[in-house]
Every structure is written in C-alpha cells, then in structure tokens.
Amino acid sequence: MLASAWVAILVGIAMMVVGPAWIKSDWFLLIFLIGSIMILSGTIGGIVGSQVVSTKSIDKQYVWLAKVNPEYLEMLPAWLD
C-alpha cells in the first residue's frame, strides 16, 4: 500500500511538472488536475496504509487495539486478569 502511494505521488508530481511541457497547451489544465488528484490520493492512501496499530476502544484502565500483527500477539505472554 505504501509503495503504491509513493508511486502515485511521484507520478502526480511528474505529470504536473513534465507533462504540460510534452503535451499541447490545450491539455495543460487536464494534466495538471489529474496530477493534483494523484498527489492527493497518494497522500491519503499513504496515511491510511501506514497505520500499524489503531485503537478499538479505550476506558479508564484498558486499551483495545486493532490491526495488530498476529505473529506479534503470539510472542506476548498469556494475559491473566
């Protein structure tokens, strides 16, 4: 997910900088707009895709986590309440 986000950002930058120089001036706005959308979507995708752990709920004593790797959970000792 992160690699595709970086690719989208870099291609978006290339479209905004290099694209208008290679394509007719009539298409400048379209290429610029598509490049802007790719940068925005790549940034949002990178933020969402990079979340390693998120919280399910929090109370006064405990925190419940989501998106935790099952292999990591197996390394933890058994929980005794």
Side-chain angles (χ1 to χ4, degrees):
M1 182 76 174
L2 247 62
S4 60
W6 274 107
V7 168
I9 291 170
L10 294 175
V11 169
I13 291 172
M15 286 180 74
M16 290 176 66
V17 174
V18 179
W22 287 348
I23 298 175
K24 290 183 188 179
S25 61
D26 298 341
W27 293 93
F28 172 77
L29 264 150
L30 181 64
I31 297 298
F32 194 82
L33 180 65
I34 292 172
S36 300
I37 291 170
M38 287 186 72
I39 291 172
L40 182 63
S41 64
T43 303
I44 292 170
I47 289 170
V48 171
S50 68
Q51 290 181 349
V52 179
V53 176
S54 63
T55 57
K56 281 186 184 177
S57 64
I58 301 173
D59 66 10
K60 290 185 179 187
Q61 190 172 5
Y62 298 106
V63 175
W64 287 267
L65 300 176
K67 296 184 180 180
V68 179
N69 189 339
E71 294 173 3
Y72 175 73
L73 292 175
E74 288 176 6
M75 294 186 327
L76 297 174
W79 178 262
L80 302 174
D81 195 11

